[in-house]
Amino acid sequence: MAIITMIPILWTKSINNSHLLTYFSWTLYALIYFFTLYSNDEDNVDIFALSMINLGLLIAIQVFIGSFKVNGFDIDKILSTSLRVGWGIFNECGIMMLVSIPYIFYFIHKKKLYFWNVIKLLLIVIACFFTNSRGTYIFGIIILLSSIILLGVLTEKNKSFYLSLTAITIALVFLGFIFHGKIIEFIGKIKEYVFYNGLSNNGRFDLYNYGVKKIFSNPKYIIFGMGFVESYYVDFNQSIVMKDIFLVYHSTIIQTLSIGGILGLLVFIIFIYKRYIMIIKNFKSDLFKFLLIGLIPIEIYGLIDNTYHMFYFMIPLAISMGIFEVSKIRREDITC
């Protein structure tokens, strides 16, 4: 992927000096992967899991601060404003907070800093509401429910878990009864501000159609791709405000075809296959069970939004693959 995504530099026309670096992004991910793989001589899976939890918490705090600075405590403004946090937009913050949730459930399952991790989970879930991202809301609920069910299955002989779950359920029902008016009002505001277009595609189909036409307009684009920077948003929707922002196709498949063509897509499929094989081979580990049920919704999310090829998602992914691979090698060595 590092080699393939650099090839379109030879013919792309929309590069400026800062955007040129995007063509070397997969080179960066490869270097991070190999550095992680060969600089670790012990099993650091739990340390990495804790790092991912704290990353989610830091992003949640950044979302809170960014939102309160602009919107104060006005719920209408909070739910109707999408903001930037320097490295990305709130939508991208939502993606990374969802990525951190399975790691939190793993630590809760292992009873590591149990109550502190429950607090972290609550803060991250609340911060997800501040993103005003429909994808974060929908897939966040799926990940949460799946993780809770898996947590119940893995701790089926643990009476304290069911007692805690019952107590939390009773407390939520009690609070719901007391504040039912405010809750109904809040749900109404979410529907009004976040889902004001329901589940419409927000112009994504037009964007996909534009991207596919561009890709199939030239044989070399079909085989090798157009590159990371071939069009700008101003070319797509004539918005002069976004004239310096290069086009991202909000779809893992179309984005991969755009930056690497059919050749890139084939290699990317191998990359995904290897990733899932690693998880399935380690499925006896409870951590990988939580990661799998958290990963699948993120993959589906990636079909309609920006996940793969984005630095905020790929850098932790590259590190995780190196960490997990070292863990696998050590277990095999110990077995021998």
Side-chain angles (χ1 to χ4, degrees):
M1 284 299 294
I3 295 170
I4 289 170
T5 52
M6 286 190 289
I7 293 175
I9 290 178
L10 298 173
W11 52 75
T12 189
K13 298 177 182 178
S14 300
I15 293 178
N16 61 35
N17 290 334
S18 60
H19 292 162
L20 179 63
L21 294 175
T22 60
Y23 289 80
F24 299 92
S25 57
W26 270 89
T27 304
L28 171 65
Y29 309 146
L31 290 173
I32 289 172
Y33 166 73
F34 286 118
F35 176 80
T36 306
L37 186 64
Y38 292 109
S39 65
N40 283 278
D41 57 359
E42 58 185 33
D43 188 344
N44 287 316
V45 170
D46 279 4
I47 294 175
F48 174 76
L50 180 60
S51 299
M52 288 301 296
I53 293 171
N54 289 333
L55 174 63
L57 180 64
L58 286 171
I59 293 173
I61 292 171
Q62 192 176 24
V63 167
F64 286 136
I65 293 173
S67 182
F68 288 140
K69 282 177 66 176
V70 175
N71 303 314
F73 293 91
D74 189 323
I75 295 296
D76 293 86
K77 288 183 177 180
I78 289 172
L79 291 177
S80 61
T81 308
S82 184
L83 301 172
R84 290 187 170 273
V85 289
W87 58 269
I89 61 176
F90 270 22
N91 185 51
E92 292 159 346
C93 292
I95 292 171
M96 291 312 299
M97 286 190 288
L98 295 188
V99 169
S100 71
I101 287 175
Y103 294 97
I104 301 178
F105 274 96
Y106 168 69
F107 264 41
I108 291 173
H109 170 60
K110 289 294 184 180
K111 296 182 176 59
K112 294 184 177 182
L113 303 173
Y114 183 87
F115 291 106
W116 179 222
N117 281 301
V118 170
I119 292 172
K120 288 181 181 179
L121 177 63
L122 290 173
L123 288 172
I124 289 172
V125 169
I126 294 170
C128 284
F129 280 101
F130 282 65
T131 64
N132 306 329
S133 165
R134 294 180 302 171
T136 300
Y137 284 30
I138 293 169
F139 293 102
I141 291 172
I142 293 172
I143 291 173
L144 275 173
L145 292 177
S146 301
S147 298
I148 290 170
I149 291 170
L150 178 59
L151 186 64
V153 170
L154 295 179
T155 56
E156 58 183 349
K157 296 181 180 180
N158 190 331
K159 292 182 180 179
S160 61
F161 168 77
Y162 288 106
L163 288 173
S164 300
L165 186 61
T166 302
I168 291 172
T169 303
I170 293 172
L172 290 175
V173 171
F174 181 70
L175 290 172
F177 178 76
I178 295 176
F179 299 104
H180 69 280
K182 292 290 185 183
I183 293 172
I184 292 172
E185 181 184 355
F186 182 69
I187 293 173
K189 289 182 182 294
I190 290 176
K191 184 178 179 181
E192 177 184 356
Y193 293 119
V194 181
F195 290 90
Y196 61 92
N197 276 335
L199 295 177
S200 69
N201 63 79
N202 273 4
R204 278 176 167 79
F205 290 164
D206 293 334
L207 183 61
Y208 301 160
N209 186 52
Y210 178 85
V212 170
K213 283 184 177 179
K214 292 282 287 186
I215 293 166
F216 285 91
S217 67
N218 191 311
K220 63 187 176 187
Y221 290 172
I222 298 173
I223 300 171
F224 299 106
M226 302 183 293
F228 278 93
V229 186
E230 199 284 330
S231 298
Y232 289 81
Y233 277 97
V234 67
D235 302 319
F236 167 63
N237 59 14
Q238 290 81 48
S239 173
I240 196 66
V241 177
M242 305 181 76
K243 64 183 177 67
D244 296 321
I245 303 175
F246 61 84
L247 202 60
V248 178
Y249 289 102
H250 290 270
S251 165
T252 297
I253 295 174
I254 297 177
Q255 184 68 17
T256 304
L257 283 170
S258 173
I259 66 175
I262 292 175
L263 187 59
L265 183 61
L266 290 174
V267 175
F268 184 76
I269 290 170
I270 296 172
F271 170 79
I272 296 295
Y273 169 78
K274 290 287 188 180
R275 185 184 181 195
Y276 273 98
I277 286 296
M278 178 190 296
I279 292 175
I280 292 169
K281 284 184 176 179
N282 291 276
F283 201 64
K284 290 182 179 179
S285 165
D286 290 339
L287 172 61
F288 287 88
K289 292 184 177 72
F290 282 108
L291 288 183
L292 184 62
I293 65 168
L295 177 63
I296 293 174
I298 294 293
E299 301 284 12
I300 298 172
Y301 194 177
L303 296 177
I304 57 172
D305 217 319
N306 304 329
T307 51
Y308 288 103
H309 311 300
M310 300 297 159
F311 74 92
Y312 54 82
F313 182 81
M314 289 300 302
I315 290 175
L317 173 60
I319 295 172
S320 72
M321 293 177 70
I323 293 288
F324 297 153
E325 193 66 27
V326 170
S327 173
K328 174 186 172 186
I329 292 170
R330 276 182 53 79
R331 285 199 298 274
E332 289 176 350
D333 290 343
I334 291 169
T335 301
C336 294

